[in-house]
Amino acid sequence: MGDPVHMPRDHVQHVERSAHGAGAPAGDPGFAPAVPPSRGAGPEPDPATETPFLELLARGASAEAYEQPVLLARAEGWSADRIAALERAKALALRVRAELEGRRRREAELSALFETAHDLAGLRDLDAVLRAIVQRARSLLGTDVAYLSLNDPARGDTYMRVTEGSVAARFQQLRLGMGEGLGGLVAQTARPYVTEDYFNDDRFRHTRTIDTGVRDEGLVAILGVPLMLGHHVIGVLYAADRRARVFEREQIALLGSFAALAAAAIDSANLLAETRSAVADLEHANEIIRDRSAVIERASDVHDRLAELVLRGGGVHDVAAAVSEVLDGTVEFAEAAVAPSRALEASRTDGHAVRHRDDWVAAVTAGGELLGALVLRGHPGLDPVDQRTLERAAMVTSLLLLARRSAAEAEQRVRGELLDDLLDARDRDPRLLRERARRLRADLDTTHTVLAARLDGPAADAGQAADARRRLWAAASHLAATGQGLAAARDGGTVLLLPLGPRDTATDVARRTARQLGTAVHETVTVGASAPVGDLATRPETVAAAYTEARRCLDALRLLGRSGDGAAAEDFGFLGLLLAGDRDVAGFVERTIGPVAAYDERRGTDLLRTLDAYFACGMSPARTKDELHVHVNTVAQRLDRVGRLLGDDWQSPARALEIQLALRLHRLSAPTRH
């Protein structure tokens, strides 16, 4: 039967006029018999009584319009028999109308199902198919809203996936726990549920969140059917109205058919996604196999090349060139002092190549000693097999370096013997000294500095201390050989004779040597340097004097607590003489200016800097304020604070000398920035 809410507006108005006794519009054959009834006619059926209903059927009039011929006949005073015949014709016409409407509805439903199945067969976009299903379900069932939710196995609930006709944002974002609300009950029981009045239905569990969302949407009557894959519920398809409504069995069955198609669409999409993923995985696996084959061929190639290099006596740079060609990149050998320190240490500890930014670093080690590194430049995406190739090349490099070392140790002993002779002034023949130095690629006629180096790290036992000294001597010998200098072991440390470059100072060489030796032996190495010396071939005795000066500078650094640093005698001036021997420098500084240093540390003030400037400006507050770029009153206030911290006699000659010496020692003991 038709629903008057969905009738055409002209039909509804027509029915209302008839109900109030209004006359029918002129010329409308649907509201009067084609042949006027005659009073007192016999009971024989009149075929003309069927004509109005046939015309109503032809026009597709509403069910209410079929009452008009009967009402008009009664108004005209038809006989009871003819009115009865008219009633029978009306009933028959309504049955025919209902049958036609049912067929049209089933035709529309089958057409919609066919279109949905067609969409499913050509599935490209799952969301588009689900939206089409929800839209068609809403249209065919004539509901205000239709929507679809899917189960979330990870969270154990169901959530909105597609809505049609919804106007409330909160409703569109609802999540229903299993058993909560009508949808949760459908998802839990795998059975369809329908309610004519949601808020007065106690068959399912109401929650504040769900009820609020349903109330925002204004829904009253709700039908929900499960989306099934086998025996498993994957979601729920709904049709809902904002007024009370009874859903018929045919409508429930129709929504169930749409739900089956939606489940099939989801299953097809999942299978399609799995198939695509499997195909992608297979393609990726094939790519990996092809890449691995190529990498293994490269690894075999580099193995053959490295073996050939070792057999024919190739060098470190030959190894780097061969690996560069195989890895299609630039491989360089780097000394330990210039390689990235963190990556180098990590590679040394793990025994594998380590990535550093866009480079790869493989430590070259031998017996725990760090000899350098092979660095692959600009190749961040290194294959594991290629990484292993770089590591093997580092091992070959270490073997070559050890072979070189065995030959170099003899040369180092010769270098040490020459330096020992210079220190002891045993060979005074300048020509012979120059010849011995020339064979070692050293030039005694250029300007040099003598350096005294010593380990400052604690040793666990005598054996470890001796081993550390041997490593220091080996590193110093290597440094001397590469720098065209000489090195020897002496006085529990090492002594080096290194040439000065055009822009080098003795201080520069001392600091650089401390860093390089410390990196090579992984210990704290302190280095003291002499003033520049020259003409060593004709005046070899100057080497011994310079070594004494370098040792005094080394002692001064250690007394000042600057272990691991490097300095030259020129950095200390007359203080170098004062610091020779065992003196409590730290205690003297603390006793003399400790209160001022502590006040600066605690308050963040500049009293020590003010004192330095004050004495440097001849104890003149006026010149001091210019030096510090402050007001003279500020200088006076700071000096007054110093007086309260050190005592009223702090500017007396004796105290002033002690304070100036303590200030100089304090400044020298501060870590050098370089």
Side-chain angles (χ1 to χ4, degrees):
M1 299 294 288
D3 189 338
V5 174
H6 302 289
M7 289 191 302
R9 181 174 296 274
D10 58 340
H11 290 175
V12 175
Q13 293 173 345
H14 198 68
V15 171
E16 290 175 349
R17 286 196 300 271
S18 301
H20 290 83
D28 189 344
F31 294 84
V35 179
S38 58
R39 298 182 182 275
E44 294 82 5
D46 186 354
T49 59
E50 300 175 358
T51 301
F53 300 113
L54 292 176
E55 292 176 352
L56 289 172
L57 285 171
R59 287 196 296 112
S62 66
E64 289 79 1
Y66 285 74
E67 293 291 337
Q68 301 304 314
V70 178
L71 293 174
L72 289 174
R74 286 175 177 166
E76 293 292 332
W78 282 26
S79 66
D81 291 340
R82 295 193 68 187
I83 290 176
L86 200 60
E87 289 281 3
R88 288 193 296 273
K90 181 192 75 171
L92 181 60
L94 287 174
R95 286 174 57 192
V96 172
R97 179 184 180 279
E99 182 66 23
L100 291 175
E101 282 193 352
R103 291 186 179 183
R104 283 195 297 268
R105 185 172 62 252
R106 285 192 293 275
E107 181 181 356
E109 292 170 356
L110 290 173
S111 177
L113 290 173
F114 177 78
E115 290 175 359
T116 303
H118 182 269
D119 292 343
L120 178 58
L123 177 66
R124 292 295 181 270
D125 183 353
L126 175 62
D127 286 337
V129 174
L130 294 181
R131 281 194 298 271
I133 290 173
V134 172
Q135 290 169 356
R136 289 163 186 165
R138 179 193 178 204
S139 175
L140 288 176
L141 270 67
T143 57
D144 298 322
V145 183
Y147 49 101
L148 183 146
S149 66
L150 294 181
N151 289 2
D152 186 344
R155 296 181 56 169
D157 62 4
T158 182
Y159 64 95
M160 293 292 185
R161 175 66 181 269
V162 182
T163 64
E164 177 68 21
S166 173
V167 296
R170 180 155 39 187
F171 178 79
Q172 297 168 15
Q173 298 171 2
L174 274 181
R175 299 189 74 97
L176 293 74
M178 293 301 177
E180 295 179 355
L182 183 140
L185 189 60
V186 174
Q188 184 182 49
T189 63
R191 296 174 56 190
Y193 273 85
V194 61
T195 178
E196 299 176 18
D197 189 351
Y198 175 84
F199 291 101
N200 293 320
D201 197 330
D202 57 1
R203 289 176 300 164
F204 39 83
R205 182 156 55 95
H206 290 264
T207 68
R208 177 180 299 177
T209 302
I210 299 173
D211 286 359
T212 301
V214 174
R215 187 174 287 107
D216 286 353
E217 193 62 54
L219 301 181
V220 177
I222 304 175
L223 166 63
V225 295
L227 277 64
M228 304 289 296
L229 280 182
H231 298 291
H232 301 286
V233 180
I234 63 171
V236 180
L237 179 61
Y238 306 83
D241 257 342
R242 296 187 175 94
R243 57 182 174 80
R245 170 177 177 172
V246 176
F247 288 95
E248 300 175 357
R249 291 183 178 273
E250 293 80 1
Q251 293 172 324
I252 297 175
L254 175 61
L255 195 62
S257 299
F258 276 115
L261 290 175
I266 294 170
D267 189 36
S268 298
N270 290 339
L271 291 175
L272 182 60
E274 291 174 1
T275 302
R276 288 172 176 170
S277 177
V279 171
D281 290 343
L282 288 174
E283 292 177 351
H284 182 61
N286 287 332
E287 291 178 1
I288 292 176
I289 291 172
R290 288 194 297 269
D291 292 343
R292 288 292 182 273
S293 298
V295 169
I296 291 172
E297 290 180 4
R298 291 201 305 272
S300 176
D301 182 26
V302 76
H303 181 272
D304 294 342
R305 293 191 183 192
L306 293 178
E308 182 184 356
L309 281 175
V310 172
L311 292 176
R312 65 181 176 85
V316 171
H317 297 290
D318 295 327
V319 172
V323 179
S324 297
E325 186 175 347
V326 172
L327 298 184
D328 192 21
T330 301
V331 178
E332 301 173 351
F333 175 77
E335 299 289 344
V338 298
S341 57
R342 290 187 178 179
L344 187 60
E345 184 59 33
S347 176
R348 178 190 184 189
T349 303
D350 297 340
H352 297 289
V354 174
R355 181 176 172 180
H356 175 70
R357 298 176 184 169
D358 289 340
D359 303 337
W360 284 83
V361 178
V364 177
T365 61
E369 182 182 352
L370 189 58
L371 305 177
L374 284 184
V375 181
L376 175 60
R377 304 289 185 187
H379 211 310
L382 189 63
D383 186 275
V385 178
D386 286 345
Q387 180 180 342
R388 183 60 180 161
T389 298
L390 183 63
E391 293 165 0
R392 288 179 178 175
M395 294 175 59
V396 172
T397 302
S398 67
L399 292 175
L400 292 176
L401 290 176
L402 286 177
R404 278 190 174 186
R405 175 175 291 184
S406 62
E409 284 178 351
E411 179 183 335
Q412 291 169 2
R413 284 193 293 272
V414 174
R415 288 179 182 275
E417 290 173 359
L418 175 57
L419 184 53
D420 282 335
D421 288 346
L422 288 172
L423 289 169
D424 297 334
R426 287 186 296 221
D427 193 340
R428 301 222 176 236
D429 186 345
R431 183 187 60 80
L432 184 58
L433 288 174
R434 288 193 181 94
E435 179 60 25
R436 291 174 62 186
R438 185 187 61 79
R439 289 198 296 268
L440 298 173
R441 298 183 300 281
D443 183 3
L444 295 182
D445 292 326
T446 191
T447 302
H448 288 71
T449 182
V450 178
L451 302 105
R454 189 173 301 171
L455 293 166
D456 281 329
D461 52 44
Q464 289 188 2
D467 183 61
R469 287 195 296 271
R470 282 194 295 271
R471 293 202 310 272
L472 177 62
W473 175 78
S477 298
H478 177 72
L479 181 61
T482 56
Q484 298 181 335
L486 304 175
R490 181 164 288 216
D491 299 324
T494 59
V495 56
L496 298 93
L497 180 67
L498 297 179
L500 290 175
R503 299 182 180 179
D504 277 340
T505 65
T507 301
D508 295 335
V509 175
R511 292 174 178 170
R512 185 166 62 243
T513 303
R515 289 197 306 272
Q516 292 173 335
L517 294 180
T519 302
V521 302
H522 297 281
E523 300 276 357
T524 300
V525 178
T526 307
V527 177
S530 71
V533 292
D535 198 17
L536 302 181
T538 57
R539 298 174 57 238
E541 68 277 0
T542 58
V543 178
Y547 175 56
T548 301
E549 185 179 23
R551 285 193 61 190
R552 186 182 299 117
C553 181
L554 174 64
D555 291 338
L557 284 171
R558 299 176 73 185
L559 285 170
L560 290 169
R562 289 171 58 182
S563 297
D565 203 353
E570 60 193 27
D571 297 326
F572 297 98
F574 77 95
L575 289 173
L577 297 174
L578 297 176
L579 293 170
D582 186 12
R583 290 180 171 83
D584 184 13
V585 174
F588 171 76
V589 173
E590 176 62 27
R591 288 190 301 271
T592 307
I593 60 172
V596 179
Y599 187 91
D600 276 352
E601 180 70 20
R602 188 171 59 254
R603 301 292 184 87
T605 54
D606 283 330
L607 297 184
L608 286 179
R609 181 165 168 262
T610 301
L611 274 176
D612 262 332
Y614 181 62
F615 286 116
C617 294
M619 301 175 70
S620 168
R623 290 201 298 272
T624 303
K625 60 99 174 174
D626 294 332
E627 177 70 18
L628 297 176
H629 304 289
V630 297
H631 196 274
V632 69
N633 291 340
T634 302
V635 175
Q637 291 170 2
R638 292 180 182 179
L639 296 178
D640 182 65
R641 173 62 64 182
V642 169
R644 288 197 294 272
L645 291 170
L646 299 182
D648 294 335
D649 64 336
W650 71 276
Q651 297 193 68
S652 65
R655 288 291 306 280
L657 179 60
E658 291 178 355
I659 291 171
Q660 290 180 69
L661 180 57
L663 287 170
R664 184 74 182 275
L665 292 172
H666 181 271
R667 185 167 62 254
L668 290 172
S669 64
T672 305
R673 300 182 184 274
H674 53 80

